[in-house]
Amino acid sequence: MTGQTGPQQAGRSGGRSTRQRRAVVAELDATDQFRSAQDIHEALRRNGDPVGLATVYRALQTLVDAGEVDIVKTDDGEAVYRQCNPTHHHHLVCRNCGNTVEVTGPTVERWTERVAAEHGFHDVSHTLELFGLCPDCAVREEPGAAT
Amino acid sequence: MTGQTGPQQAGRSGGRSTRQRRAVVAELDATDQFRSAQDIHEALRRNGDPVGLATVYRALQTLVDAGEVDIVKTDDGEAVYRQCNPTHHHHLVCRNCGNTVEVTGPTVERWTERVAAEHGFHDVSHTLELFGLCPDCAVREEPGAAT
DNA sequence: GTAAGTGCAAACGGTTTGCAGCCTC
DNA sequence: GAGGCTGCAAACCGTTTGCACTTAC
């Protein structure tokens, strides 16, 4: 052991506690925003903590699998990751600057359950994401806007 | 069948009225289900109405652009298309057999609008898809299920 | 010491694009 | 006749995988 953080918390992170794994977790921990694997990969390299792209993907996958990280597919087909929040919620994402607001929707949750039940569907999950222009970006778009 | 609907409705389909374009539209018209571009491409070839894959993608894109076709990205990152229904609605999709049920959610619509407004977001759109096991597939999965 | 983790690069799968020829208007 | 449309195949882009090496435990 070299003195890092200590190798005791390994069990929960869905795999061995390696420098790379920790780097990825740390990167996710550092922000509330959704990050793409490539984004994280680049940030890590810049941080002087280079980790292979494939390794980033594998670590992310492991974390998602372990339920520690949330994954959402953007409209571009890109996967973005974020430290998991224990409470189920959805996201209001600015399609211009990417700023994200967490929103919880008991209303929606109940609705989906009801609808699923009405149609006899079981084990139903749902994806719900809101995309729009945040206050800042909205004012910047307004002026020249038409239609 | 060569005397389909007639070549008069060209203007609305977002481009020139070619055999290929019509074939794609006809294929979409033939079903209520979501189809992938590749699926349509193959079906067309089997139908004796071969259309290039790229052409299928371009036609689909044009149709989506014209608001005649609905596009949804699956969890696999594949895009699936479907003739557009004038009324806004969401989908309850069986993750096993792909069977799709249309669901409308005034409740959800209102909720998204309210949430967006609360956060000052403008021009908000939302994606909401429900995935589960339809009644048929549910019974088939139940028996041996564990974990 | 052993098996999991890592890195590289090639493979992959869906989608897009360049370009020469065809066809609709 | 002109310009959009088509087809092929190669390019793309994000993601996954094979394999030999490294490293945590």
Side-chain angles (χ1 to χ4, degrees), chain A residues 27-103:
Chain A
E27 194 58 37
L28 284 171
D29 255 25
T31 176
D32 280 24
Q33 304 290 54
F34 278 99
R35 317 274 304 272
S36 70
Q38 321 234 20
D39 183 29
I40 293 173
H41 171 243
E42 198 175 37
L44 253 31
R45 154 182 301 189
R46 260 196 284 248
N47 256 10
D49 227 346
V51 174
L53 219 205
T55 301
V56 172
Y57 275 108
R58 283 190 273 232
L60 249 16
Q61 230 164 247
T62 304
L63 288 166
V64 169
D65 217 53
E68 290 187 42
V69 163
D70 236 357
I71 177 175
V72 169
K73 302 270 179 102
T74 70
D75 255 18
D76 296 15
E78 205 180 16
V80 286
Y81 307 79
R82 186 191 192 218
Q83 46 183 143
C84 193
N85 204 314
T87 58
H88 177 76
H89 58 259
H90 302 287
H91 307 100
L92 176 53
V93 185
C94 176
R95 70 171 121 249
N96 190 52
C97 68
N99 192 31
T100 303
V101 176
E102 251 172 47
V103 294

Side-chain angles (χ1 to χ4, degrees), chain A residues 5-11 13-22:
Chain A
T5 323
Q8 70 282 12
Q9 270 278 67
S13 290
R16 281 186 185 172
S17 175
T18 65
R19 178 187 65 78
Q20 293 89 335
R21 218 86 129 180
R22 285 179 183 287

Side-chain angles (χ1 to χ4, degrees), chain B residues 15-116:
Chain B
R16 281 189 184 170
S17 175
T18 65
R19 176 186 68 76
Q20 293 87 336
R21 222 85 130 178
R22 286 180 180 287
V24 171
V25 173
E27 193 60 35
L28 283 171
D29 257 24
T31 175
D32 280 23
Q33 302 292 52
F34 277 99
R35 316 276 301 274
S36 71
Q38 322 235 20
D39 183 30
I40 293 173
H41 171 245
E42 197 176 38
L44 252 32
R45 155 182 298 188
R46 259 197 283 248
N47 256 9
D49 228 344
V51 174
L53 217 205
T55 301
V56 172
Y57 274 108
R58 282 191 274 233
L60 248 17
Q61 230 164 246
T62 305
L63 290 167
V64 169
D65 216 52
E68 291 187 41
V69 164
D70 235 358
I71 178 174
V72 170
K73 302 270 179 101
T74 69
D75 254 19
D76 296 15
E78 204 180 18
V80 286
Y81 306 81
R82 187 193 190 213
Q83 48 182 142
C84 193
N85 205 313
T87 58
H88 178 76
H89 58 258
H90 302 286
H91 307 99
L92 177 52
V93 185
C94 176
R95 71 171 121 249
N96 190 52
C97 68
N99 192 32
T100 303
V101 176
E102 251 171 47
V103 294
T104 57
T107 308
V108 179
E109 309 304 320
R110 271 195 297 269
W111 178 81
T112 58
E113 275 171 35
R114 205 195 65 222
V115 171

